[in-house]
């Protein structure tokens, strides 16, 4: 059934470009928008591939929702162009754009039943009644809300409203589905469940998803690619794994997961061997670079980042390993699956964490002196 | 994020996906708000302007408006007529003010127990009690007013009770008279004060009252410091809703008061009716408008000051 | 606490009695056999049949209804449009204009009434139109109804989530379709409430009607007033009882409607 729908999307929406469908679903170039004195977006460039699950991630007020609204045609850029499926959207009003939105507040029409809410878009497009019914049934089944057809939105739970909002959008088989923090109002457990469902649904339908969220875990769990936004700009745009393991800036490193930061000066670097020596407050550290990069002059100030799970905690005995530093355990925090440990090395507080199943932390107590190993290939050099 | 703009300082650039220029805003305002505004301007503001113009003209011999400029109309209700000083109109103005203020004050005093009684009831009873306050409000004022004529008539038991107590002589009616006017006014305007007050009391945070009692404050202090500040908006709204119509009323004194209780409303009616002196009537009307506007302004000022010991 | 509660109940009982004494007395007297005086002389319904055969009362009832319906329809349309414009679109000095809208709400009705009387008289002298009658009464009623409707509808529009209309646009509705399929159904309760308020205000109005009516356009409140001026007759009590009945039923219905919505 799902295959049918996705096949239909291709056939109906792409009929004009059937011979050569563009690989980018959305292409934004030089988008700027300000509200009075506030700059909401500042020269944003973005290309979303067809069939991709793309997330815009950032704190509130970073401009991600404005960007989504501009794509939907609910707002207009002061500068820049929006292309959807290769077509310039400058003169195309919201109701004629091949996109649909799932709103943060769901925005279900309170005066219409669930069925009528879902049928709204099809009626606007004057889809024949019989075809409407089959399409609505299919979508309602897909998001598991068939028994709710004749309820009013006020009689639905948060999760049910979310599903109706989703059904109301995808029944129109848009080229791109825009989702504005669709899970923001739900409790954690339901959110996790719906995340998985959304992810599966996107795979089944093959529709391009442009997903706005401020929740890093959500973005990491679902997206093919993520753009991290800050103050109306895109800080970094990469595949999820890339973004997490190779953040380019302090902002990205700290926004996605937690990380330990360490200031230092460059002592030596060799472009060919892809490694560098950095002098830090905790001693000299060797850093492996996964790609050769000119790091700049000698003695240049650098910021290093290392994820807690990369830091290894070792007992004091034996001779110190490479990049090993001595520290004092300040705190051990047990949280079910893993244990977090805070270790003080001089003035620097380092956070480590490991799965409890690994048994790594079990041998340690608060106040114990330990060796921290900061593996050379786990250290990231940030650009700022 | 939405470009939605409610206060109208700046035109929204984008509204529900539509891009709008200033010209679009003006055109749509004119199309939508234009007819209604124009209606009110033509049939209310324009007539009020005419009223200002006519108030400085004089009355012709046959009651027509004569196009001779004069300040006489304003001098007349200040008490300086053709026949020397006459306190009739200054008295009317003063009496109207006193009646308006006194009605508001009496209604306010009565509204408090009634409101707290309703607020303290359980849900189905509460709705019933509230509806019982609303019903008189929607019942024609004329009917409620003339009924007092029956109730206060000379052979009625209220009059007999008053006579027995010694308030009046035997067989003497309680109406027409000042007491009858006050009775009618308070009865008519009480719901106007109860409803806004109730809206405030409903929203009240009772934990503050409990805290005050917990700290050992006595009844009056609890009321003054924990209750009053919270219900101020309701009190202000109710007072305005009572004072303004009470000031301008003409039905109640007309039906319940005698010739001795003439008020501004009756004076206006007399000039536009039997006396047919429209310029003078216009002048009195303007005075009424000025008093009402002053009253409004005063209420807002007192409210803004968050007065010490002041209720409003 | 308990003593205070009893005192409150007693006081409130007294106040309710005070509020309802006039209403009850009118109802009771409409069934009183006595034509004059205030004594009870026995039960009768004859005043209701007298009323039914009173052509003046019937024509006044008709006038009242025609006036209320005509003015309410006009005022509801104009007031709703006015509210839409104020809520969504900008024009210079909009604040002042919205403030002016409250003037008809707060000025005493006698001021409004004589201002209109004067205006119609002047127009009559100038253009020969605006003879006092139902037309001038409709115009006057619409004038004080518009602001009430606009204020009620505007508050409803204010509480409307803008995302709903955006969702309609997003789902393919043109601005016009968005209005009729989403905005209007959603503000309809406000429009209905405003209309109902306007209707009640028109039915209840005496002062403005009194000054702007002409011969033959007497309404029920005017009829009651002139009858009272001549001396209360039992059939007027019967008429008032019927009006009271309509008010009570209306109030109860509105209250129930509001509760059903919650």
């Amino acid at each position: 059934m799902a295959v049918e729908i996705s096949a239909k999307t291709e056939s109906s929406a792409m009929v004009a470009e059937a011979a050569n469908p563009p690989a980018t679903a959305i292409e934004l170039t030089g988008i700027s928008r300000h509200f009075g004195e506030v700059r909401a977006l500042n020269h944003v460039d973005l290309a979303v591939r067809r069939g991709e699950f793309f997330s815009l991630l950032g704190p509130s007020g970073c401009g991600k929702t404005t960007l989504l609204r501009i794509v939907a045609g609910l707002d207009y850029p002061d500068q820049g162009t929006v292309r959807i499926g290769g077509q310039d959207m400058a003169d195309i009003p919201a109701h004629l754009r091949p996109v649909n939105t799932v709103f943060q507040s769901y925005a279900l029409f309170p005066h219409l039943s669930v069925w009528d809410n879902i049928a709204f878009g099809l009626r606007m497009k004057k889809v024949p009644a019989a075809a409407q019914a089959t399409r609505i049934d299919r979508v309602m089944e897909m998001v598991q809300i068939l028994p709710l057809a004749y309820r009013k939105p006020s009689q639905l739970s948060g999760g049910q409203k979310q599903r109706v909002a989703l059904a109301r959008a995808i029944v129109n088989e848009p080229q791109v589905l825009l989702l504005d923090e669709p899970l923001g109002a739900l409790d954690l457990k339901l959110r996790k469940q719906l995340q998985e469902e959304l992810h599966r649904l996107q795979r089944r339908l093959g529709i391009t998803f442009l997903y706005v969220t401020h929740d890093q875990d959500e973005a990491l769990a679902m997206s093919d690619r993520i753009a991290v936004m800050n103050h109306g700009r895109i800080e970094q745009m990469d595949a999820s794994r890339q973004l997490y393991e190779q953040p380019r800036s302090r902002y990205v490193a700290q926004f996605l997961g937690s990380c330990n930061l360490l200031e230092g000066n460059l002592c030596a670097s060799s472009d060919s061997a892809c490694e560098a020596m950095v002098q830090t407050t905790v001693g000299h550290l060797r850093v492996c670079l996964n790609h050769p990069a000119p790091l700049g002059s000698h003695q240049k100030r650098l910021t290093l980042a290392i994820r807690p799970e990369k830091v290894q905690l070792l007992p004091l005995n034996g001779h110190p390993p490479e990049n090993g530093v001595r520290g004092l355990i300040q705190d051990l925090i047990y949280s079910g699956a893993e244990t977090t440990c805070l270790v003080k090395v001089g003035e620097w507080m380092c956070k480590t964490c490991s799965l409890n199943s690994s048994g790594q932390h079990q041998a340690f107590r608060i106040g114990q002196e330990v060796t921290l190993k900061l593996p050379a290939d786990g250290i990231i050099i940030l650009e700022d | 994020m939405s470009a939605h703009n409610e206060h109208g300082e700046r035109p929204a650039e984008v509204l529900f996906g539509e891009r709008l220029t200033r010209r679009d805003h003006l055109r749509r305002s004119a199309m939508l708000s234009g007819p209604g505004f124009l209606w009110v301007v033509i049939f209310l503001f324009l007539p009020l302007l005419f009223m200002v113009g006519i108030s400085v003209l004089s009355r012709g011999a046959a009651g027509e408006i004569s196009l001779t400029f004069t300040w006489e109309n304003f001098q007349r209700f200040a008490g300086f007529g053709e026949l020397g000083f006459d306190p009739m109109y200054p008295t009317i103005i003063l009496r109207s003010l006193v009646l308006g203020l006194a009605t508001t004050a009496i209604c306010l005093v009565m509204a408090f127990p009634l409101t707290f009684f309703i607020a303290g009831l359980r849900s189905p009873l509460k709705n019933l009690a509230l509806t019982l306050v609303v019903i008189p409000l929607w019942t024609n004022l004329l009917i409620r007013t003339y009924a007092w004529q029956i109730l206060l008539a000379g052979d009625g038991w209220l009059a007999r009770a008053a006579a027995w107590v010694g308030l009046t002589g035997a067989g003497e009616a309680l109406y027409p008279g000042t007491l009858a006017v006050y009775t009618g006014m308070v009865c008519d305007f009480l719901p106007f004060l109860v409803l806004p007050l109730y809206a405030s009391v409903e929203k009240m945070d009772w934990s503050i009252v409990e805290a005050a009692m917990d700290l050992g404050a006595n009844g009056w202090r609890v009321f003054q410091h924990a209750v009053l500040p919270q219900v101020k908006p309701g009190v202000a709204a109710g007072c305005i809703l009572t004072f303004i119509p009470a000031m301008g009323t003409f039905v109640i004194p007309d039906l319940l008061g005698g010739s001795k209780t003439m008020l501004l409303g009756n004076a206006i009616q007399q000039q536009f009716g039997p006396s047919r002196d429209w310029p003078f009537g216009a002048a009195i009307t303007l005075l009424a408008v000025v008093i009402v506007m002053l009253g409004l302004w005063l209420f807002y000022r007192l409210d803004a000051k968050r007065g010490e010991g002041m209720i409003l | 606490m308990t003593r205070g509660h009893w005192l409150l109940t007693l006081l409130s009982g007294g106040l309710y009695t005070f509020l309802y004494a006039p209403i009850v007395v009118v109802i009771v007297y409409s069934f009183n056999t006595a034509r004059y005086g205030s004594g009870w002389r026995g039960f009768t319904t004859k005043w209701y049949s007298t009323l039914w055969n009173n052509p003046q009362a019937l024509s006044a009832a008709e006038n009242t209804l025609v006036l209320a319906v005509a003015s309410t329809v006009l005022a509801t349309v104009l007031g709703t449009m006015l509210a839409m414009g104020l809520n969504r679109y900008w024009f210079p000095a909009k604040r002042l204009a919205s403030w002016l809208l409250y003037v008809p709400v707060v000025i005493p009705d006698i001021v409004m009434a004589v201002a209109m009387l004067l205006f119609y008289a002047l127009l009559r002298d100038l253009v020969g139109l605006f003879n006092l009658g139902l037309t001038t009464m409709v115009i006057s009623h619409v004038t004080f109804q518009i602001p009430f409707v606009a204020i009620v509808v505007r508050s409803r529009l204010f509480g409307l989530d803008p995302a709903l209309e955006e969702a309609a646009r997003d789902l393919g509705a043109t601005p016009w379709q968005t209005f009729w399929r989403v905005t209007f159904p959603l503000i309809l309760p406000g429009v209905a409430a405003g209309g109902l308020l306007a209707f009640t205000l028109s039915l209840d109005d005496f002062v403005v009607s009194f000054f702007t009516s002409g011969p033959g356009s007497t309404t029920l409140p005017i009829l009651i007033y002139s009858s009272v001026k001549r001396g209360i007759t039992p059939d007027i009590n019967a008429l008032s009882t019927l009006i009271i009945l309509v008010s009570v039923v209306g109030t109860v219905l509105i209250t129930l409607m509001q509760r059903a919505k919650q």
Side-chain angles (χ1 to χ4, degrees), chain B residues 36-47, chain C residues 71-72 74-75 78 82 100-101 103-105 107 112 116 119-120 135-149 201 208 212:
Chain B
F37 253 123
L38 221 56
W39 189 291
V40 177
V41 166
I42 291 177
F43 294 109
L44 183 66
F45 289 104
L46 205 58
Chain C
S71 59
T72 302
L74 254 171
L78 290 174
L82 179 52
L100 280 179
L101 206 59
V103 171
V105 178
I107 60 167
M112 208 167 3
M116 286 169 179
F119 185 63
Y120 297 140
T135 317
T136 50
M137 290 166 90
V138 170
I139 292 174
S140 313
H141 279 215
V142 171
T143 311
F144 68 72
Q145 287 168 321
I146 285 176
F148 281 99
V149 176
L201 287 171
V208 172
T212 55

Side-chain angles (χ1 to χ4, degrees), chain B residues 6 16 129 132 146 155 244 254, chain C residues 16 20 87 106 169 225 237:
Chain B
E6 266 295 347
F16 310 124
L132 280 177
Y146 91 71
D155 54 348
I244 290 174
D254 191 49
Chain C
Y16 274 117
Y20 277 88
N87 182 259
V106 297
R169 295 300 313 279
Y225 178 77
N237 288 333

Side-chain angles (χ1 to χ4, degrees), chain A residues 69 74 94-95 100-101 103 105 107-111 121 124 168 172, chain C residues 161 163-164 166-174 177 181-182 185-186:
Chain A
R69 290 170 58 83
L74 297 171
H95 66 281
N100 285 111
T101 308
F103 289 84
S105 57
L108 298 180
F109 304 126
H111 59 300
M124 291 301 116
R168 186 178 69 172
N172 302 295
Chain C
D161 181 3
L164 291 171
E166 290 181 344
R169 295 300 313 279
D170 186 70
L171 291 167
T174 61
Q177 284 172 320
R181 285 175 176 262
V182 175
L186 289 177

Side-chain angles (χ1 to χ4, degrees), chain A residues 116-167:
Chain A
D116 289 332
N117 261 285
I118 300 174
F120 193 92
L122 299 178
R123 286 183 187 152
M124 291 301 116
K125 288 202 194 88
K126 303 213 162 50
V127 173
Q132 272 186 29
T134 24
R135 279 168 74 171
I136 295 169
D137 269 335
R138 195 185 296 156
V139 169
M140 285 180 82
E141 200 188 326
M142 205 181 292
V143 298
Q144 301 156 41
I145 48 168
L146 265 179
L148 307 176
Y150 300 105
R151 295 230 193 132
K152 284 284 178 72
S154 57
Q155 297 165 304
L156 302 177
S157 71
Q160 289 169 334
K161 281 183 189 163
Q162 178 48 57
R163 287 162 193 269
V164 176
L166 195 62

Side-chain angles (χ1 to χ4, degrees), chain A residues 140-213:
Chain A
M140 285 180 82
E141 200 188 326
M142 205 181 292
V143 298
Q144 301 156 41
I145 48 168
L146 265 179
L148 307 176
Y150 300 105
R151 295 230 193 132
K152 284 284 178 72
S154 57
Q155 297 165 304
L156 302 177
S157 71
Q160 289 169 334
K161 281 183 189 163
Q162 178 48 57
R163 287 162 193 269
V164 176
L166 195 62
R168 186 178 69 172
I170 62 177
V171 77
N172 302 295
E173 296 166 10
Q175 281 183 36
V176 182
L177 187 69
L178 308 172
L179 302 103
D180 185 6
E181 308 222 11
L183 309 179
L186 304 175
D187 63 65
L188 186 65
K189 205 165 176 181
L190 195 55
R191 202 155 69 213
K192 291 276 180 218
Q193 186 194 336
L194 278 164
Q195 275 175 21
E196 288 167 20
E197 283 184 37
L198 264 178
H199 194 240
R200 275 206 303 275
L201 194 72
Q202 196 264 340
R203 290 274 172 279
R204 275 171 75 182
L205 292 172
I207 297 177
T208 312
F209 274 35
L210 182 56
Y211 192 99
V212 160
T213 181

Side-chain angles (χ1 to χ4, degrees), chain B residues 180-191:
Chain B
V181 173
Y182 272 95
T183 310
M185 294 281 275
V186 172
C187 181
D188 280 336
F189 289 114
L190 185 55

Side-chain angles (χ1 to χ4, degrees), chain A residues 185-307:
Chain A
L186 304 175
D187 63 65
L188 186 65
K189 205 165 176 181
L190 195 55
R191 202 155 69 213
K192 291 276 180 218
Q193 186 194 336
L194 278 164
Q195 275 175 21
E196 288 167 20
E197 283 184 37
L198 264 178
H199 194 240
R200 275 206 303 275
L201 194 72
Q202 196 264 340
R203 290 274 172 279
R204 275 171 75 182
L205 292 172
I207 297 177
T208 312
F209 274 35
L210 182 56
Y211 192 99
V212 160
T213 181
H214 66 270
D215 182 336
Q216 34 126 348
D217 292 330
E218 198 169 288
L220 285 175
M222 294 198 285
S223 320
D224 296 320
R225 285 196 303 154
I226 301 173
V228 179
M229 292 188 67
N230 187 23
H231 293 305
R233 292 177 155 280
I234 292 180
E235 286 264 339
Q236 189 174 351
M237 177 160 52
D238 258 316
S240 309
R241 176 181 289 270
Q242 196 74 19
L243 210 57
Y244 184 79
E245 291 182 359
Q246 292 295 321
R248 278 207 293 271
S249 62
R250 233 176 234 260
Y251 178 81
V252 175
Q254 286 182 310
F255 197 82
L256 276 151
S258 63
C259 85
N260 298 299
L261 293 178
L262 199 55
E263 304 268 332
N265 293 319
L266 188 65
C267 295
S269 69
S270 71
D271 292 352
S272 52
C274 291
E275 61 173 32
M277 284 303 286
V278 181
Q279 188 197 12
T280 70
T281 48
V282 298
H284 281 73
L285 295 175
R286 190 174 72 88
V287 179
C288 275
L289 306 169
N290 65 346
H291 54 95
L295 285 174
S297 61
H298 193 63
Q299 287 302 321
K300 186 192 164 196
R301 280 203 75 75
L302 290 174
T303 306
L304 304 180
I306 183 163
R307 298 285 184 195

